[in-house]
């Protein structure tokens, strides 16, 4: 999973925008469509950047050796050309937003282009992924309001980073043996046998941040019911995942769509109930 300008999957940005619709109303459909299209285009661009920078590593890792550039299906020039098209279309989406959001989106470029290199330098690339992915916590608010409310967006941003640390550490456990051979780093290697304890801490911080953000945004009671269910889903996956089994790690990673769906539903219902 990769992102550009902080746009992650449409569900995440739908629930970010749920914070900024008027009480008793649904989020703006045009804005949801823009963020959905931006997510589709710019997640893909992030993947292309990652594949271009990591082609020397991908070819040595079992799970990634068949990626288009690593396998030779596409040349680096073709990859760069495709990236240019993705970025051009993504820029068209970004320019539909207000000037504050355009500047805010552009300011994430350093994170976007540096993240794929972090696994070479630090055991915390998942933290940098979280900082990049969840830039949408800032953009989702600013796209509607034209500014930021730190009491709402900062806890939301921090909770998103913690969520990313949970699911991407689980994801990274699929590659830990290959990573050791290649010499790249991850939180899966950093945490080792203590992974579930670390993930539990990040899970608690994620839920607490979402609760604080919802409280500061004056969301109604349905939000907290859905947040409780989402927190339960997060706890379940941390407890049940077999970190030595690649297939199970991937299954738990994919299950995070339900966490996102529950939070999205909670914010939407919580806003309608106010």
């Amino acid at each position: 999973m990769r992102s550009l300008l902080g746009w992650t999957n449409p569900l995440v940005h739908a629930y970010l925008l749920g914070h900024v619709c008027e009480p008793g109303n649904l989020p703006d459909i045009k804005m949801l469509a823009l963020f959905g299209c931006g997510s589709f285009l710019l997640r893909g661009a992030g993947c292309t950047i990652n594949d271009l920078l990591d082609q020397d590593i991908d070819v040595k890792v079992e799970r990634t050796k068949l990626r288009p550039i690593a396998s030779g299906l596409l040349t680096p020039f073709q990859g760069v050309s495709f990236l240019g098209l993705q970025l051009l279309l993504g820029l068209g989406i970004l320019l539909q937003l207000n000037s504050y959001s355009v500047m805010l989106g552009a300011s994430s470029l350093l994170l976007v282009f540096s993240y794929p290199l972090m696994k070479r330098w630090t055991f915390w690339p998942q933290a940098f992924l979280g900082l990049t992915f969840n830039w949408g916590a800032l953009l989702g608010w600013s796209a509607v309001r034209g500014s930021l409310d730190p009491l709402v967006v900062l806890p939301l941003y921090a909770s998103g980073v913690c969520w990313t640390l949970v699911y991407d550490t689980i994801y990274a456990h699929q590659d830990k043996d290959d990573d050791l051979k290649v010499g790249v780093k991850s939180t899966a290697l950093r945490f080792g046998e203590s992974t579930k304890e670390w993930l539990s801490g990040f899970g608690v911080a994620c839920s607490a941040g979402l609760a604080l953000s919802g409280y500061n945004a004056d969301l109604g009671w349905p939000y907290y019911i859905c947040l409780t269910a989402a927190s339960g889903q997060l706890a379940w996956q941390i407890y049940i995942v077999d970190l030595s089994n690649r297939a199970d790690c991937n299954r738990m990673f994919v299950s995070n769509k339900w966490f996102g769906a529950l939070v999205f539903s909670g914010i939407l219902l919580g806003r309608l109930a106010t």
Side-chain angles (χ1 to χ4, degrees):
M1 294 176 65
R2 300 294 182 265
S3 173
L4 189 61
L5 299 182
W7 272 305
T8 59
N9 59 72
L11 262 184
V12 173
H13 293 287
Y15 79 67
L16 297 179
L17 290 169
H19 269 310
V20 294
C21 63
E22 293 301 320
N25 293 298
L26 294 170
D28 183 80
I29 299 301
K30 177 184 176 182
M31 201 63 66
L32 288 176
L34 287 174
F35 271 72
C37 292
S39 170
F40 177 78
L41 287 169
L42 297 173
R43 278 183 61 204
C47 290
T48 305
I49 293 170
N50 184 76
D51 288 358
L52 285 166
L53 294 177
D54 279 358
Q55 55 186 294
D56 60 323
I57 295 174
D58 288 344
V59 73
K60 301 174 184 177
V61 176
E62 184 65 28
R63 187 179 56 83
T64 61
K65 66 182 182 181
L66 295 180
R67 286 179 175 173
I69 297 176
S71 67
L73 183 63
L74 295 178
T75 66
F77 176 77
Q78 289 173 318
V80 171
S81 299
F82 184 54
L83 174 62
L85 175 62
Q86 291 172 307
L87 292 176
L88 182 62
L89 293 173
L91 177 62
I93 297 290
L94 184 61
L95 291 177
Q96 302 303 306
L97 307 180
N98 57 57
S99 58
Y100 185 92
S101 298
V102 171
M103 294 178 61
L104 187 64
S107 68
S108 71
L109 287 174
L110 179 61
L111 283 171
V112 169
F113 283 96
S114 64
Y115 160 69
L117 300 174
M118 289 300 163
K119 64 174 71 71
R120 304 167 190 259
W121 302 334
T122 175
F123 281 100
W124 292 87
Q126 281 70 28
F128 284 90
L129 177 65
L131 292 171
T132 306
F133 256 28
N134 294 285
W135 206 257
L138 312 179
L139 275 177
W141 187 280
S142 69
V144 175
R145 295 291 177 87
S147 61
L148 294 177
D149 183 342
L151 293 179
V152 176
V153 299
L154 292 184
L156 185 62
Y157 185 51
S159 67
V161 173
C162 290
W163 179 30
T164 304
L165 278 161
V166 171
Y167 66 67
D168 209 58
T169 298
I170 292 174
Y171 187 76
H173 269 274
Q174 297 177 92
D175 299 330
K176 57 189 175 185
D177 293 334
D178 288 327
D179 287 348
L180 282 171
K181 294 176 184 177
V182 175
V184 298
K185 302 173 175 64
S186 71
T187 49
L189 295 177
R190 170 63 180 82
F191 300 159
E193 295 299 320
S194 301
T195 291
K196 291 200 174 185
E197 287 80 0
W198 280 91
L199 296 187
S200 297
F202 290 129
V204 170
C206 173
S207 296
L210 286 171
L212 179 59
S213 180
Y215 175 80
N216 289 336
D218 297 320
L219 293 179
W221 59 267
Y223 172 69
Y224 299 98
I225 293 177
C226 291
L227 178 58
T228 299
S231 300
Q233 196 280 336
L234 201 62
W236 168 79
Q237 60 175 285
I238 293 171
Y239 176 77
I240 202 172
V241 64
D242 181 356
L243 295 172
S244 63
N245 185 306
R246 290 187 177 187
D248 197 52
C249 287
N250 187 68
R251 183 170 67 92
M252 290 299 105
F253 168 75
V254 172
S255 78
N256 280 276
K257 63 188 178 184
W258 299 114
F259 180 89
L262 285 165
V263 176
F264 164 70
S265 299
I267 291 182
L268 187 62
L269 296 172
R271 182 56 70 196
L272 290 173
T274 56

